[in-house]
Amino acid sequence: MIDSNPPLLNHYGALLRNSAEPQKAKSSNGQDNTVVECELPLIDLNGLKSCNVSERLACTAAICKAASEWGFFQVINHGINPDLLRNMREEQMKLFRVPFEKKVTCGLLNNPYRWGTPSATSSNHFSWSEAFHIPLTMISEAACWGEFNTLREAINEFAAAMLEVSRLLAGILAENLGHPTDAVEKLCDASTCFLRLNHYPSCPKSKEEIFGLVPHTDSDFLTILYQDQVGGLQLMKDSKWVAVKPNPEALIVNIGDLFQAWSNDEYKSVEHKVVANDKVERYSIAYFLCPSYTTMISGCKEPSTYKNFTFGEYRHQIQEDVKKIGHKVGLSKFLRKDTYTTTMA
């Protein structure tokens, strides 16, 4: 039988053999690992279309409150056709069922395929998953897709729908801070965004031993996640891990590092992870609202909490951190010294 899954167990086993003792999965910041299940703030986007002014205002207020207090929320009645979502999921599953050797060598889309964590030096930095990280600039290049042209067509339609939802939400969040609704839209072109197709094979190890995806924050403005009903996503809330209960009608939205920096910490980019499942596989698709690498990120008003930096500089710093310590440090390296001193006083 040809195996479509990557040799995750071999890689993980090598990390354990090179460690003094087996590692237990834990937060990169050492927080309490106690987990409770919750439902994220649930926002019905139909409220934005209401003829009642107070209902429209209540909907926008709920979005901004969730972005500030949780950094995560769910949206229903988002306008994306369920048939489009189902078709995208089917195409995603077909892609991941391709034999592993072919995924590694076929060169689809200039080799965006990743599995495990090549930079991991410890089992705490290892992710039991595989993914295709696809820059949306590649959609127009039909020759890159080969036999996966139906996937290209699905992504083209899916990405356009996700962009519309992300711009709607980014506009509301920007306007809440006193800026035009297109303030973030002007920074993030459709072609500079990314799509990440995720697959988490079932894991023979205990849930306490290994991550499906290691704890991290997202490096974009906004992420919109379409996931299946298996569950496994957890986020940090009040210094505790909270398990997100899947909702088949909802998309999950979370604030990225760039929005936190641009908003001067008004909106929160929250650490999150995926827990490996020992019985069933899990699929998800993440849409990342990103600027170009040359785009300057600065606070939306003065005094700014962070130094000005380009998205490219931020990505480079993340790569350097991963090389040196195995994980990203995030925005803390870009804090203005005077802000940091005041905060610590």
Side-chain angles (χ1 to χ4, degrees):
M1 178 178 175
I2 297 175
D3 194 358
S4 64
N5 290 333
L8 295 165
L9 188 58
N10 292 345
H11 190 182
Y12 181 73
L15 288 174
L16 288 183
R17 288 192 296 272
N18 293 332
S19 302
E21 57 184 88
Q23 301 286 319
K24 291 293 183 181
K26 60 184 179 182
S27 161
S28 57
N29 292 329
Q31 293 103 331
D32 184 357
N33 271 346
T34 303
V35 177
V36 295
E37 187 177 62
C38 81
E39 292 190 15
L40 293 175
L42 182 63
I43 299 168
D44 186 345
L45 295 186
N46 272 344
L48 299 174
K49 305 173 187 176
S50 174
C51 297
N52 187 309
V53 174
S54 62
E55 289 182 3
R56 293 200 302 272
L57 291 176
C59 187
T60 58
I63 292 169
C64 298
K65 181 180 180 181
S68 296
E69 296 182 0
W70 282 79
F72 269 79
F73 54 94
Q74 302 175 97
V75 293
I76 57 173
N77 291 315
H78 39 69
I80 300 181
N81 191 316
D83 291 337
L84 169 58
L85 295 176
R86 280 192 291 270
N87 182 50
M88 185 66 233
R89 175 56 42 74
E90 289 170 3
E91 291 295 332
Q92 175 190 20
M93 294 173 73
K94 283 195 295 185
L95 177 63
F96 281 111
R97 286 171 182 159
V98 168
F100 170 68
E101 292 299 328
K102 186 173 181 179
K103 284 184 283 192
V104 171
T105 61
C106 71
L108 171 68
L109 290 177
N110 295 327
N111 301 307
Y113 178 67
R114 303 289 183 269
W115 65 275
T117 312
S119 61
T121 57
S122 159
S123 58
N124 281 344
H125 299 150
F126 184 78
S127 295
W128 191 277
S129 57
E130 58 178 337
F132 284 87
H133 193 72
I134 302 174
L136 295 181
T137 50
M138 306 299 295
I139 292 179
S140 60
E141 301 181 24
C144 296
W145 294 79
E147 65 188 272
F148 301 102
N149 195 53
T150 55
L151 171 65
R152 171 179 173 264
E153 294 171 354
I155 287 179
N156 191 34
E157 192 174 357
F158 180 83
M162 287 293 215
L163 176 64
E164 187 173 341
V165 175
S166 66
R167 283 179 168 174
L168 171 66
L169 297 172
I172 290 169
L173 294 170
E175 190 172 39
N176 181 57
L177 298 177
H179 285 260
T181 56
D182 64 352
V184 174
E185 180 179 334
K186 287 179 177 179
L187 299 175
C188 301
D189 186 81
S191 65
T192 61
C193 299
F194 287 83
L195 205 64
R196 184 178 176 94
L197 311 182
N198 300 306
H199 175 225
Y200 304 88
S202 58
C203 175
K205 295 291 183 179
S206 163
K207 291 182 181 180
E208 280 73 40
E209 286 187 294
I210 190 167
F211 297 119
L213 189 60
V214 295
H216 66 286
T217 58
D218 290 347
S219 304
D220 58 348
F221 269 95
L222 274 180
T223 303
I224 302 182
L225 183 74
Y226 169 51
Q227 65 169 354
D228 61 20
Q229 300 309 297
V230 171
L233 176 64
Q234 298 182 7
L235 61 95
M236 185 58 64
K237 174 66 172 168
D238 299 328
S239 299
K240 292 184 181 297
W241 286 111
V242 174
V244 177
K245 183 178 180 180
N247 182 330
E249 305 298 324
L251 298 174
I252 293 178
V253 182
N254 66 277
I255 301 296
D257 296 342
L258 299 188
F259 224 143
Q260 176 169 326
W262 188 81
S263 70
N264 288 327
D265 289 345
E266 175 65 26
Y267 305 134
K268 303 298 187 294
S269 180
V270 174
E271 188 178 36
H272 52 285
K273 64 182 180 181
V274 175
V275 176
N277 191 300
D278 60 348
K279 295 181 177 62
V280 294
E281 61 186 350
R282 177 180 184 266
Y283 290 92
S284 69
I285 308 173
Y287 179 89
F288 299 98
L289 184 66
C290 297
S292 71
Y293 274 34
T294 58
T295 299
M296 184 65 67
I297 307 299
S298 55
C300 64
K301 61 182 178 181
E302 293 294 338
S304 177
T305 305
Y306 301 91
K307 296 179 289 187
N308 292 351
F309 58 89
T310 66
F311 184 40
E313 289 171 339
Y314 188 58
R315 292 294 304 166
H316 177 73
Q317 183 62 60
I318 291 172
Q319 291 165 2
E320 290 299 306
D321 291 338
V322 170
K323 286 180 184 177
K324 291 177 181 176
I325 60 176
H327 61 87
K328 66 183 275 192
V329 173
L331 288 171
S332 59
K333 287 193 174 182
F334 292 89
L335 280 166
R336 282 173 48 175
K337 289 184 178 179
D338 54 340
T339 303
Y340 179 78
T341 303
T342 302
T343 303
M344 294 298 290

